[in-house]
Amino acid sequence: IRDHTYGFEEFKKLADEWPVERASRVTGVPEDGIRSVAEMIAERETIMQLGMGMTRYTNSHNAVRAVACLAGLTGNLGKPGACCYFLDKSADHYLTANASKVSFPEGADIRRDRRFVCITGFNKAVLSAANPPIKGVICWRGNPIPQLMNVKDTERALKSLDLLVVIDQFMNDTTDYADFVLPACTFFEQYNLVPPYGHRYLQAAAPVIGPLYEARPDIEIWAELGRRMGFGEHFPDNWTWLDWAKIVVPKELPVESITNPERPYKMPESIRPEVPYRGGIFPTPSGKMEFVSNEIASYGKGKDGDWNPLPHYVAPEESPESRPDLAGKYPLVMISTLSPRSTHSQFINLPWRRE
């Protein structure tokens, strides 16, 4: 704690506000169960692997940070058999295929002062944005109507737009509101680069068939849009998938090995270490595991949302604690799980899935 962490005293004061009795009352988990799990984590090396599910509610960022702080508090970082691992695909993509090199090609006169909208706050952003308002949306690799919170708000947000373009493989709940639907390729029809997802290997995927009908790979759709907007020199129409891979893959990595679909490529120690944070070295401003993140507070200045440097509890927007009026009428709390026969809303249209 003394040598490898920052902000412990502030974190301890926050933890003192949460005796086991309060935690049990808020979570519904018996006190003995909380004590048992706490002792288990403290007394042995523990791997805490977080999926995407716990990120999908209003206080999710604090929940993920709290688990990471628990790993640091109990010494479960920086050694074999102990870590806190969050399956953050965006970070993996950035390290292995930096798409911003396509979004903002070197030398292109493209404005970078764009707004950032978290997907979970999409409805509110579309309905309340000003200077300027949000009038158009291109939706790809997503299906907002069934996937975002509050379907009625999502419907209102989509209907308020002047233009909605959806890029998808099939017609779905969101395409019902689209002005234009562009047919996308499946992963069987295009090259792809599959980043590490809980392991250390990068795999190139080759198509097994060509694009069907009018479907086009995602990169070709975006490149064509770039050409139509006057950036043709940065989006050559004769480029292959390998040309694009050479742009987005870090220069220190061997692009030929990475793009070989015959075998996976093991990421180097500098990008995917076998033991993250070995020796108590952390990629933070303080060089330590940070219970208090001044970087988060600084980043959030002038922005909407919760940017508290300490992970803290905020009751869900609809819960017995925050909405006792609703809880009296609707006492059950529903937790939706993933279907074993689909990936979110993907493949839900297949006939055999309904059998």
Side-chain angles (χ1 to χ4, degrees):
I1 297 290
R2 182 188 65 248
D3 296 338
H4 299 296
T5 71
Y6 171 82
F8 172 72
E9 291 302 325
E10 294 94 325
F11 184 72
K12 183 177 181 299
K13 290 179 182 177
L14 185 68
D16 287 341
E17 299 175 7
W18 283 88
V20 174
E21 295 77 15
R22 182 186 179 190
S24 176
R25 184 173 64 254
V26 170
T27 63
V29 178
E31 294 179 20
D32 289 344
I34 295 176
R35 291 192 181 93
S36 176
V37 171
E39 292 169 359
M40 188 183 303
I41 293 173
E43 294 172 356
R44 65 193 72 183
E45 294 176 350
T46 304
I47 294 176
M48 305 177 193
Q49 182 161 314
L50 310 181
M52 304 300 290
M54 70 181 301
T55 69
R56 291 172 178 160
Y57 82 107
T58 48
N59 199 39
S60 56
H61 58 300
N62 281 309
V64 171
R65 287 193 60 215
V67 176
C69 288
L70 177 61
L73 180 68
T74 55
N76 281 299
L77 292 175
K79 55 187 179 183
C83 71
C84 178
Y85 181 64
F86 173 50
L87 296 178
D88 184 357
K89 291 193 292 184
S90 62
D92 285 334
H93 274 90
Y94 183 80
L95 293 172
T96 57
N98 188 355
S100 67
K101 293 182 179 180
V102 176
S103 306
F104 299 100
E106 186 176 352
D109 184 19
I110 299 177
R111 290 179 57 180
R112 290 177 176 265
D113 55 337
R114 57 182 178 175
R115 287 176 293 193
F116 173 79
V117 175
C118 178
I119 187 61
T120 55
F122 173 81
N123 300 339
K124 181 180 178 181
V126 170
L127 293 170
S128 63
N131 299 322
I134 296 175
K135 293 293 186 178
V137 167
I138 300 177
C139 175
W140 68 309
R141 296 188 177 184
N143 188 7
I145 287 290
Q147 291 180 346
L148 296 185
M149 298 169 285
N150 198 325
V151 172
K152 290 184 178 180
D153 273 358
T154 306
E155 185 181 44
R156 282 201 305 131
L158 296 182
K159 285 183 175 180
S160 73
L161 299 169
D162 289 346
L163 176 67
L164 174 62
V165 179
V166 177
I167 304 172
D168 212 304
Q169 301 159 6
F170 302 100
M171 304 301 283
N172 56 39
D173 297 302
T174 303
T175 61
D176 291 346
Y177 299 86
D179 298 289
F180 298 97
V181 178
L182 304 182
C185 288
T186 66
F187 59 87
F188 295 115
E189 302 165 78
Q190 61 183 321
Y191 280 97
N192 210 336
L193 203 57
V194 184
Y197 196 58
H199 53 80
R200 302 181 65 200
Y201 291 88
L202 183 65
Q203 176 72 63
V208 294
I209 59 173
L212 296 177
Y213 310 108
E214 297 179 280
R216 298 178 70 176
D218 294 338
I219 186 64
E220 290 189 15
I221 293 175
W222 289 105
E224 180 65 24
L225 181 61
R227 290 191 286 269
R228 298 293 182 94
M229 296 182 72
F231 298 99
E233 63 180 296
H234 303 286
F235 299 96
D237 58 7
N238 62 341
W239 271 24
T240 66
W241 177 81
L242 182 60
D243 294 313
W244 290 112
K246 290 178 179 178
I247 291 292
V248 301
V249 170
K251 295 186 183 300
E252 63 270 22
L253 298 181
V255 67
E256 289 79 11
S257 297
I258 288 175
T259 55
N260 180 3
E262 298 297 322
R263 60 182 61 86
Y265 171 77
K266 186 176 182 179
M267 300 300 293
E269 184 75 11
S270 59
I271 292 181
R272 269 282 181 170
E274 183 175 350
V275 180
Y277 320 123
R278 191 194 293 270
I281 300 174
F282 296 87
T284 60
S286 66
K288 300 180 178 182
M289 184 273 161
E290 296 188 349
F291 293 109
V292 176
S293 176
N294 294 320
E295 190 174 24
I296 289 179
S298 177
Y299 183 81
K301 286 182 178 178
K303 298 183 178 71
D304 292 334
D306 175 17
W307 303 93
N308 193 308
L310 276 167
H312 59 287
Y313 172 72
V314 178
E317 288 188 1
E318 292 185 2
S319 71
E321 184 177 2
S322 60
R323 293 294 305 274
D325 55 326
L326 281 179
K329 187 176 182 180
Y330 306 105
L332 300 181
V333 177
M334 186 186 76
I335 300 177
S336 58
T337 59
L338 291 178
S339 167
R341 298 193 176 196
S342 65
T343 302
H344 304 300
S345 66
Q346 292 185 70
F347 315 119
I348 202 169
N349 58 305
L350 299 178
W352 62 263
R353 184 188 176 279
R354 304 173 185 274
E355 295 175 357

